[in-house]
């Protein structure tokens, strides 16, 4: 059916480039020195290579921010410890160490004012038991490198994602516990991914022994590590763990930049990494936010532009750059999570599979990386209100994704009403409620968006109001959270807690999206609710009553 | 309902024992529930995308393979169940591949009788003067898929015009589309990414190298249907289909993407729809100046088919074949044009027409072309065509 697709044109282009390289053994730039470096089919001598890479970086930087801009801006360089972000620091330094006369004659004024460096220490996730996490800590190594350039350094540990301080309000003392919308015994027999709801809980819990007092709650470092590991443990796939961890990194990096009063966050993503990302994000359903996650310049995050000035440099080039400049990298720096793998089926994540795929393809078709990256440069990110961001990945949310899913993957039995022939003719195509009755689409945005997706929300006994969660998520997160272990989740009536919690920044975002101004506001309104005031969900339910299938006894009947 | 709890009850009806694990969701289902969700999803796709209007005449591109056999069956079933009011016909292309197409056409003929849908078969040999076997004999196995793809696109269109249909439905399934999304990102081809994710198009480019607009709409009701489930459906419905792959090889690059997709699906079963979702979202993000890169269309000076160049791709390929220059028309369009010019130079001494078509196409038929206006036909002698293939009624 689809056998006639031609091979990419790159192979022929590549062959031609190869054929043109007549001066084998000589640098293709100066044509006098012997070549020492081969990048794809181009050969360079050391100094010409450095010049070429430097100018590539400058071009990207200029494209990310025109030289003419007058207002001084501070930039935060995200340093993971690897060769790409290590090169980033050095390239920034070389660029900003221009001779004074060049700077003064405004030929090439500084683009950025102050340069800061930040690092996320992930050593607590290197191995299962972080008995002596100080042994592998990367924070000090990173600090040393940054201070070597006399740049201010900002370090954070990945487990600090559970710290109330790393939120927009910088003191959000709450966590989000997930609960399922259906009783667990029912979940087991439908084999369907449940609608997820959330409870916002004050950070002080019996397990931590910390009681809620005035001011910020202090959690011990170990407590945070335990929570992070508990969350990763309920992910049933390596893909889900890696994806969630990536969201945590992004959230921390933005917070780091904002706190240091940097209006730009520079990432060291190489072309190689971008190509893997582009295919990988596509594969996990994140096509909607992909332009923001891979572009040279993204202005999605409020008050913090994200730039990727190395996105045209291959990882091989950056490795070479580090070697030639004798730049020290941190050998082990990113959490590998291999220790979390429990079954043979989950050894490979989508991210790792994609990495192998792209590197393999790039060997046979050496322009793969460049071609894939070029693709994305031609995309315009979607225009979405930043307030409507996904609480987990903080990315843009496309409307109607739950409905889209429900229409193309049907979960109703033949006898149920959705099959009735009367309601659907070719002309009747509007309304998401036409087909699935109770499982209507979620409302997007606005206050009180506790969506209508909760058929039987009788949570009167619950201590806290359950807020909708699934309906707030972007498609990618919705898909990713299907890989959560349902048994670990709280029960519908919240009489049984979940065995893991999502960090404060997620809880904060949920509240914001749900129309609460603060944790106090939520707590207050919850008290009112339990005192007999109508649950906002109840009133919503009344509005859509006529679309709901009478299901009062559903819970008890189950399947007999 | 039985008092004793069922062993392995169906996840949906809970009344019957499950006999299959649904590839798309991992649910355990009974046969009836599987049929129900499978058919309902296709119905939803048709309804939500407003694919048809009541009274439309719709051709089902039928190859005898599993996709199009199930498509014919399900189209017929849904048309009856939901009273779409469609006038269905089967349209098959006979590429002339011995041992492959002749056998699969027998299957299509049986489908015609089983589903009681009229069938039209159009052959490359009749349309172009060359069967695929002839072409392979002439040029070898390299590039023959280019010929096949170009010829098939036009052949389907031509057949549709003969049958006077409004719409062609094809059996492209979710796996095909996800694979094409990946391919187009890998090749950096955004315009085609957009077209491969749109469920309904008015061009013929969904699976091939050339872009040609057509007046006839094409759509893919199986856009969200997993290949494995199509096989499963055919199996449990005991549908009669032909299961041999085309004997002329598929290409290596697509092979990589296919293997990758299978690996992805093994890791996360929703990957296929997730990729399609991403593809749709990316398509919406394609900058306006990128998406309008479709070449301006006029008509082929030889056959009148819509084309961006003087000659449509089929005519160009045919010219090459007939002149013994089969490389003509394969590869870059600039290269094509250069070779085309070279071919023109050769034309000083016209080679003896290798096929009846060659003589037809050099005949002066400007008047005839004007008469038909923009009607897309490849062979001017329409009368000959209309008498040649008979619509095989049930
Ligand atoms: Zn040199
Ligand atoms: Zn998200
Ligand atoms: Zn069933
Ligand atoms: Zn033509």
């Amino acid at each position: 059916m689809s056998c006639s697709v031609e091979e990419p044109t790159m192979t022929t282009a590549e062959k031609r480039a190869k054929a043109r390289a007549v001066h084998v053994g000589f640098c293709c730039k100066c044509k006098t020195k012997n070549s020492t470096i081969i990048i794809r089919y181009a050969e360079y001598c050391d100094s010409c290579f450095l010049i070429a890479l430097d100018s590539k970086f400058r071009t990207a930087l200029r494209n990310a921010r025109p030289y003419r801009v007058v207002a001084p801006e501070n930039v935060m360089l995200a340093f993971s410890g690897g060769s790409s972000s290590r090169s980033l620091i050095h390239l920034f330094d070389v660029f900003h160490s221009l001779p004074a006369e060049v700077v003064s004659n405004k030929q090439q004024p500084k683009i950025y004012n102050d340069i800061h460096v930040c690092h996320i220490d992930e050593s607590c996730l290197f191995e299962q038991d972080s008995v002596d996490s100080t042994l592998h800590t990367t924070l000090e190594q990173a600090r040393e490198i940054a201070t070597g350039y006399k740049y201010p350094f900002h370090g954070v540990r990945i487990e600090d994602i559970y710290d109330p301080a790393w939120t927009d309000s910088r003191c959000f003392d709450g966590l989000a516990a997930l609960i399922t919308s259906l009783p667990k015994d029912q979940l087991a027999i439908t084999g369907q991914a449940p609608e997820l709801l959330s409870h916002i809980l004050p950070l002080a819990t019996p397990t931590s022994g910390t009681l809620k007092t005035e001011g910020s709650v202090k959690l011990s470092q170990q407590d945070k590590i335990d929570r992070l590991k508990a969350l990763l443990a309920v992910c049933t796939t390596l893909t889900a763990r890696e994806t969630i961890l990536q969201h945590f990194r992004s959230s921390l990096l933005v917070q780091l930049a904002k706190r240091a009063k940097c209006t730009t966050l520079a990432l060291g993503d190489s072309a190689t990494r971008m190509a893997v990302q582009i295919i990988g994000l596509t594969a996990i359903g994140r096509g909607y936010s992909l332009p923001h996650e891979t572009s040279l310049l993204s202005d999605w995050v409020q008050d913090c532009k994200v730039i990727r000035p190395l996105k045209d440099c291959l990882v091989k080039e950056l490795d070479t750059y580090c070697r030639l400049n004798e730049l020290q990298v941190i050998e082990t720096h990113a959490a590998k999570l291999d220790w979390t793998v429990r079954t043979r089926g989950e050894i490979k994540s989508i991210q790792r599979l994609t990495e192998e795929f792209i590197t393999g393809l790039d060997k046979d078709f050496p322009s793969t990386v460049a071609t894939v990256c070029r693709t994305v440069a031609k995309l315009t990110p979607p225009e979405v209100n930043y307030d409507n961001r996904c609480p987990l990945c903080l990315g843009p949310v496309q409307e109607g994704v739950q409905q889209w899913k429900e229409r193309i993957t049907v979960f109703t039995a033949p006898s149920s009403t959705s099959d009735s022939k009367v309601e659907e003719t070719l002309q009747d195509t509007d309304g998401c409620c036409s087909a699935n009755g109770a499982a209507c689409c979620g409302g997007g945005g606005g206050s009180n968006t506790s969506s209508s997706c909760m058929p039987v929300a009788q949570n009167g006994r619950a201590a806290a109001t359950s807020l909708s969660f699934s309906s707030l998520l972007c498609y990618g997160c919705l898909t990713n959270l299907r890989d959560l272990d349902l048994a670990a989740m709280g029960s519908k009536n919240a009489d049984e807690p979940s065995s893991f919690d999502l960090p404060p920044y997620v809880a904060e975002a949920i509240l914001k999206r749900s129309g609460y101004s603060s944790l106090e506001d939520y707590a207050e309104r919850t008290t009112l609710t339990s005192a007999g005031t109508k649950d906002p969900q109840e009133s919503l339910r009344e509005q859509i009553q006529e679309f709901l299938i009478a299901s009062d006894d559903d819970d008890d009947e189950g399947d007999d | 309902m039985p008092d004793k709890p069922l062993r392995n009850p169906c996840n949906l009806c809970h009344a019957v024992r499950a006999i299959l694990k649904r590839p798309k969701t991992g649910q355990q289902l009974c046969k009836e529930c599987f049929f129900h969700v499978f058919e309902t999803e296709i119905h939803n796709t048709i309804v939500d995308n407003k694919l048809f209007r009541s009274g439309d005449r719709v051709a089902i591109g039928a190859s005898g393979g599993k996709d199009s056999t199930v498509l014919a069956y399900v189209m017929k079933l849904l048309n009856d169940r939901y009273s779409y009011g469609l006038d269905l016909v089967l349209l098959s292309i006979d590429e002339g591949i011995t041992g492959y197409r002749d056998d699969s056409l027998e299957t299509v003929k049986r489908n015609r009788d089983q589903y009681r849908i009229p069938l039209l078969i159009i052959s490359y040999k009749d349309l172009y003067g060359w069967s695929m076997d002839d072409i392979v004999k002439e040029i070898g196995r390299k590039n023959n898929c280019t010929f096949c793809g170009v010829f098939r696109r036009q052949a389907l269109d031509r057949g549709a015009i003969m049958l006077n249909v409004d719409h062609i439905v094809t059996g492209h399934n979710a796996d095909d589309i996800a694979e094409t999304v990946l391919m187009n990102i890998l090749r950096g081809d955004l315009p085609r990414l957009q077209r491969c994710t749109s469920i309904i198009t008015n061009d013929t480019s969904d699976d091939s190298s050339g872009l040609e607009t057509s007046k006839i709409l094409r759509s893919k009701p199986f856009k969200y249907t997993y290949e494995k489930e199509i096989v499963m459906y055919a199996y449990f419905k005991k549908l009669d289909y032909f299961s041999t792959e085309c004997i002329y090889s598929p290409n290596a690059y697509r092979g990589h993407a296919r293997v990758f997709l299978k690996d992805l699906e093994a890791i996360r079963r929703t990957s296929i729809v997730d990729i399609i979702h991403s593809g749709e979202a990316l398509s919406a993000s394609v900058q306006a100046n990128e998406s309008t890169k479709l070449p301006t269309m006029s008509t082929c000076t030889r056959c009148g088919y819509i084309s961006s160049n003087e000659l449509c791709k089929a005519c160009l390929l045919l010219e090459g074949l007939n002149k013994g220059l089969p490389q003509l028309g394969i590869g870059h369009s600039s290269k094509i044009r250069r070779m085309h010019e070279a071919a023109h130079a050769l034309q000083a001494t016209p080679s003896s027409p290798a096929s009846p078509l060659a003589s037809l196409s050099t005949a002066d038929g400007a008047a005839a072309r004007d008469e038909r206006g923009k009607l897309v036909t490849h062979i001017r002698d329409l009368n000959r065509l209309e008498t040649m293939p008979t619509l095989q009624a049930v």
Side-chain angles (χ1 to χ4, degrees), chain A residues 146-260:
Chain A
T147 46
Y149 291 93
K150 302 202 167 52
Y151 292 152
F153 176 78
H154 312 264
V156 67
R157 293 175 184 277
I158 187 76
E159 62 267 29
D160 285 332
I161 196 71
Y162 275 93
D163 197 301
W166 293 96
T167 55
D168 279 346
S169 64
R170 300 196 188 172
C171 56
F172 190 88
D173 299 331
L175 295 167
L178 292 191
I179 57 174
T180 61
S181 58
L182 287 172
K184 283 186 189 172
D185 52 340
Q186 260 195 334
L187 289 175
I189 58 164
T190 62
Q192 184 184 350
E195 181 82 21
L196 301 180
L197 309 175
S198 66
H199 272 183
I200 310 300
L201 307 171
L203 197 48
T205 64
T207 49
S208 69
T210 331
L211 285 171
K212 168 101 176 145
T213 51
E214 290 304 308
S216 198
V217 181
K218 274 280 167 223
L219 284 182
S220 74
Q221 212 65 26
Q222 191 55 47
D223 203 355
K224 291 183 233 173
I225 294 173
D226 292 345
R227 282 170 191 277
L228 178 58
K229 287 192 170 179
L231 173 62
L232 296 179
V234 300
C235 299
T236 55
T237 60
L238 186 57
T239 306
R241 285 188 283 270
E242 288 183 352
T243 309
I244 288 178
L245 198 59
Q246 189 52 41
H247 299 329
F248 289 178
R249 285 187 192 113
S250 314
S251 171
L252 285 174
L253 286 176
V254 166
Q255 292 296 342
L256 280 160
K258 284 184 172 177
R259 283 173 168 221

Side-chain angles (χ1 to χ4, degrees), chain A residues 262-339:
Chain A
C262 294
T263 46
T264 302
L265 171 67
L267 304 179
D269 294 329
S270 64
T272 316
R273 167 148 172 85
M274 280 301 92
V276 172
Q277 279 283 92
I278 289 161
I279 299 296
L281 292 172
T282 302
I284 59 173
R286 298 191 61 83
Y288 193 65
S289 53
L290 190 152
H292 280 303
E293 295 184 66
T294 56
S295 60
L296 171 64
L297 165 69
S298 163
D299 52 7
W300 164 250
V301 182
Q302 213 160 41
D303 305 323
C304 182
K305 290 189 284 288
V306 176
I307 62 170
R308 297 178 177 82
L310 302 185
K311 72 180 279 292
D312 293 325
C313 306
L314 298 170
V315 87
K316 188 184 173 191
E317 293 176 296
L318 298 171
D319 283 344
T320 311
Y321 185 80
C322 283
R323 180 174 57 80
L324 293 180
N325 288 296
E326 293 174 355
L327 303 180
Q328 177 205 348
V329 297
I330 305 175
E331 283 310 326
T332 315
H333 55 86
K336 282 279 184 279
L337 299 183
D338 285 306
W339 55 269

Side-chain angles (χ1 to χ4, degrees), chain A residues 1-10 12 16 186 188-192 237 239-240 243 278-291 345 348-350 353-355 357-358 360-361 364-365 367-368 371-382 398 401 403-416 418-421 424-430 435-436 475-476 479-483 558-560, chain B residues 1-2 9-14 22 24-25 27 32-33 36-37 40-41 43-48 50 52-54 63 67-68 81-86 145-146 148-150 152 170-172 176 179-190 207-209 224 246 248-254 256-258 260 263-264 267-268 270-271 273-282 284-288 290 293 313 330-332:
Chain A
M1 186 137 286
S2 44
C3 60
S4 54
V5 170
E6 285 170 3
E7 290 193 2
T9 51
M10 47 176 120
T12 45
R16 241 181 285 130
Q186 260 195 334
I189 58 164
T190 62
Q192 184 184 350
T237 60
T239 306
T243 309
I278 289 161
I279 299 296
L281 292 172
T282 302
I284 59 173
R286 298 191 61 83
Y288 193 65
S289 53
L290 190 152
K348 245 184 216 168
S349 65
I350 290 184
L353 180 74
T354 309
E355 210 173 311
F357 173 64
I358 292 291
L361 208 55
D364 293 345
F365 305 95
S367 297
T368 301
T371 311
V372 171
C373 289
R374 255 200 320 275
T375 314
V376 189
K378 300 172 200 158
L379 295 173
T380 319
Q398 196 176 7
V401 286
Q403 179 201 349
W404 186 88
K405 280 190 154 195
E406 280 162 16
R407 293 294 281 175
I408 64 160
T409 308
V410 169
F411 285 104
T412 51
S415 54
S416 70
S418 73
D419 196 32
S420 86
K421 294 170 195 172
E424 286 179 276
T425 63
L426 283 181
Q427 277 71 35
D428 175 25
T429 58
D430 58 345
N436 278 332
Y475 181 90
T479 300
N480 201 41
L481 290 191
R482 279 194 59 136
D483 294 353
D559 67 321
D560 40 284
Chain B
M1 270 183 238
C10 165
N11 281 159
L12 288 184
C13 66
H14 312 301
R22 194 176 177 203
K24 202 174 184 179
T25 63
Q27 288 172 304
E32 285 311 313
C33 285
H36 163 75
V37 292
T40 307
E41 286 165 12
H43 169 65
N44 287 349
T45 304
I46 290 172
V47 168
D48 292 356
K50 301 189 168 102
F52 316 113
R53 279 174 310 184
S54 184
S63 66
D67 296 311
S68 62
R81 178 184 297 168
Y82 296 102
S83 311
Y84 291 164
L86 302 180
C145 281
T146 307
C148 198
V150 169
R152 185 187 298 120
T170 55
H172 291 91
D176 293 331
E179 192 180 296
T180 312
V181 167
L182 289 176
M183 286 289 293
N184 285 328
I185 297 175
L186 287 170
R187 294 185 313 184
D189 194 336
L190 287 175
D207 62 350
S208 205
S209 51
Y224 303 113
C246 173
Y248 298 130
S249 67
N251 85 47
Y253 197 75
R254 182 171 275 272
H256 286 291
R258 183 165 298 174
F260 177 58
D263 291 347
L264 282 175
I267 293 179
R268 185 178 270 182
T270 60
S271 286
V273 286
D274 294 344
I275 290 171
I276 298 176
H277 186 270
S278 286
E280 289 180 7
L282 285 172
S285 304
V286 174
Q287 287 166 16
E290 282 297 324
K293 265 191 179 168
K313 217 160 177 217
I330 297 168
H332 278 296

